[in-house]
Amino acid sequence: MKLRRAVITAAGLGTRFLPASKAVPKEMFPVYDKPAIQYVVEEAVAAGIREICIVISADKGAIKQHFGRDRAMELVLAGKGKRQQAGLIRKLAGMARISYVLQREQKGLGHAVLCAERFAGKEAFALLLADDLMYGAANVLTQLDRARRKPDGMALAVEKVSRQMIPSYGIVKIKRGGRGAYDIEDLVEKPRLKDAPSDLGIVGRYILTGEIFKALKRTRPGALGEIQITDALRGYLKDGGNIGAGVFGGTRYDAGDKLGLIKASLEMALRDKMAKGEMRTYLKGLMKKR
Ligand code: UTP
């Protein structure tokens, strides 16, 4: 069945970005010419999804404002002859049907997903982490939907991670299934290097079904005292559930990290025909000075 719904989690504290994230949600930090979260919404829309629920915390109203319709601003812009910009912000508000759910306490990603239970219902849905930006030839969600091994199964995007980063990720053990697909055999959140079953880390894209909510409700707080989605997925697997893996082959930026955000911005600027020349000259000059 075609994916109709997506949940985007954006309720995290953003401690890595303090003090910048104190008043402005980190998801609203610009990546070249758009806030980070807009790329994620656009990715879901490109996969044909029209119903999106963003999980936010009480201090992230700017996200709502960004995707909401602002007729007064459209009129002011049109009145000044800025029709293109007026069209741009109108289009932004009409991209998808976006609703919001509040995560009152920051009890982890798993808990944030649980907050969207009513929105998601029983049907398969996509989960996108607002600070993971994916850039590649194919749409990750479309690929992941194909990586589901059973109609009622789930699928996760994974990527090879460096040794020193293994303890920061959910790590999976996979086995090869038919037709170049992979089944997940086991998964563990933030393992010690010696306990890691592989070097394949879970990245911020998932296809989940209603079964995840049952599993989340049974999951006790794990690493960092938070309810971890990886632990819930492990429970689902142990109860006979099926999880496919899609190996992501594009470029991923962690926009929740200072350097990750700068890298994403630079690369987006270099991909813009209008800015590319000036950016290259500037970067070359900068490197000579260092
Ligand atoms: P992160 O691990 O990036 O945590 O969350 P964070 O709190 O956002 O940022 P730091 O580490 O303090 O700098 C991964 C994803 O889970 C969401 C985040 O918004 C992000 O999409 N999340 C995390 C929630 O929605 N709620 C939580 O309680 C925790």
Side-chain angles (χ1 to χ4, degrees):
M1 193 208 278
K2 195 174 156 326
L3 280 178
R4 294 193 305 150
R5 297 197 177 112
V7 171
I8 299 178
T9 52
L13 289 171
T15 49
R16 282 171 291 166
F17 260 123
L18 284 170
S21 56
K22 184 167 176 256
V24 179
K26 64 172 177 172
E27 296 80 8
M28 289 302 295
F29 291 174
V31 174
Y32 183 45
D33 58 353
K34 286 183 267 192
I37 195 167
Q38 191 177 328
Y39 288 89
V40 180
V41 168
E42 286 173 353
E43 183 191 320
V45 170
I49 293 170
R50 291 290 173 272
E51 284 183 50
I52 296 175
C53 173
I54 306 183
V55 185
I56 53 171
S57 50
D59 53 351
K60 300 217 180 182
I63 298 178
K64 267 181 159 176
Q65 202 179 335
H66 181 69
F67 291 106
R69 181 102 193 245
D70 188 340
R71 288 185 172 81
M73 188 186 227
E74 284 170 29
L75 280 174
V76 171
L77 288 169
K80 289 184 181 294
K82 296 184 183 294
R83 295 199 175 278
Q84 197 205 337
Q85 288 87 338
L88 196 74
I89 62 156
R90 189 171 48 247
K91 209 170 134 213
L92 175 64
M95 249 192 321
R97 250 201 316 276
I98 304 182
S99 56
Y100 300 86
V101 60
L102 199 61
Q103 184 190 21
R104 289 177 200 278
E105 281 178 278
Q106 276 45 65
K107 293 189 197 161
L109 172 61
H111 179 258
V113 174
L114 203 45
C115 295
E117 179 177 13
R118 199 189 299 181
F119 164 83
K122 290 193 166 47
E123 227 173 81
F125 65 98
L127 167 66
L128 302 93
L129 271 47
D131 39 17
D132 254 353
L133 306 189
M134 317 293 256
Y135 184 84
N139 184 286
V140 195
L141 296 177
T142 312
Q143 281 179 308
L144 263 193
D145 204 19
R146 285 193 210 116
R148 287 169 72 201
R149 308 272 289 131
K150 295 199 174 146
D152 59 344
M154 306 195 199
L156 315 179
V158 298
E159 185 184 76
K160 219 172 159 58
V161 296
S162 65
R163 273 174 67 81
Q164 79 260 29
M165 290 309 287
I166 284 179
S168 310
Y169 278 80
I171 301 290
V172 301
K173 182 177 178 191
I174 56 174
K175 70 166 188 257
R176 204 173 255 281
R179 290 188 289 152
Y182 297 99
D183 277 324
I184 291 185
E185 277 193 324
D186 199 7
L187 61 180
V188 46
E189 183 63 26
K190 301 187 173 59
R192 285 183 299 186
L193 205 51
K194 66 177 179 58
D195 301 326
S198 77
D199 60 355
L200 288 173
I202 304 172
V203 292
R205 301 294 180 267
Y206 306 67
I207 307 279
L208 305 172
T209 70
E211 290 295 312
I212 194 67
F213 300 113
K214 288 187 202 155
L216 279 167
K217 283 174 197 162
R218 287 196 302 260
T219 305
R220 299 286 118 229
L224 313 174
E226 296 181 342
I227 298 182
Q228 301 289 347
I229 189 120
T230 311
D231 294 338
L233 287 165
R234 191 171 206 216
Y236 164 76
L237 206 59
K238 295 266 174 290
D239 287 347
N242 183 272
I243 312 178
V247 182
F248 177 63
T251 310
R252 183 175 63 91
Y253 305 99
D254 180 0
D257 168 78
K258 289 172 196 166
L259 284 183
L261 186 80
I262 291 175
K263 287 181 197 166
S265 275
L266 283 178
E267 289 208 29
M268 295 304 172
L270 289 168
R271 281 181 199 128
D272 178 353
K273 273 189 237 133
M274 306 291 284
K276 188 175 166 178
E278 192 178 334
M279 273 309 292
R280 284 174 70 109
T281 311
Y282 171 73
L283 288 174
K284 275 187 200 152
L286 192 66
M287 291 317 290
K288 268 193 209 138
K289 277 192 234 160
R290 304 277 131 185

